[in-house]
Amino acid sequence: MKADVNKLCRELGYRFKDPQLLEQALTHRSAGGKNNERLEYLGDAILGFIIADELYNHFRDATEGQLSRLRSSLVKRDTLAEVARDFKLGDYLHLGQGELRSGGQSRDSILADGVEAIFASIYLDGGYEACREVIETIFQPRFGKMNLEHHRKDPKTELQEYLQGKKVDLPGYEIVNINGDPHNQLFTVDCVVTGLGKKTTGQGSSRRKAEQDAASRMLAHLKDE
């Protein structure tokens, strides 16, 4: 039995005029029927714009690159999954039996997509200002912790710029292993700089994290030399 969505609405601080929009936002494609894929697409765009606007007005001296990195840290899958867990979103999702058995209600990608779909459902139900108010309330604690000094370029970007400065071909990334259950996987990725004959290996709970780890190791190795 699914948790009472009225509790979710109270935590979101929004009451739906059309509850079916929320039901659709909570329905994964594996459950069949009308699902949240289109809503997730719309919610991703709405969230990106509202976060960009907030950052633009909050960090008035930030460069385009700094603003982009700040936005990426807020709208990335890991952050949205954290937001979803704050609301215990997995308790409300409608999933197919296969996804339920594999722990889909705890998977970062499904949780993040669900959050974006909810934002879109609020936008369609109550308009832009209602959606913005919900997003601002949810993300305000994270805004408060942000500063430009603590959001440097990610390792993949740093490595790319380092190699470009040396006029060396850009690195390649390849998944070499995936271990664990679908909801608790460990990715192993190689980072290869062919022009220098160098290879490093990184690990992480997602492909992105493993690539960043491998890039960080490569960057440290090259700088040590």
Side-chain angles (χ1 to χ4, degrees), residues 74-90:
L74 289 172
V75 303
K76 66 182 181 181
R77 184 175 68 181
D78 294 359
T79 302
L80 295 182
E82 288 176 5
V83 169
R85 292 189 176 95
D86 288 343
F87 292 115
K88 296 182 171 56
L89 186 60

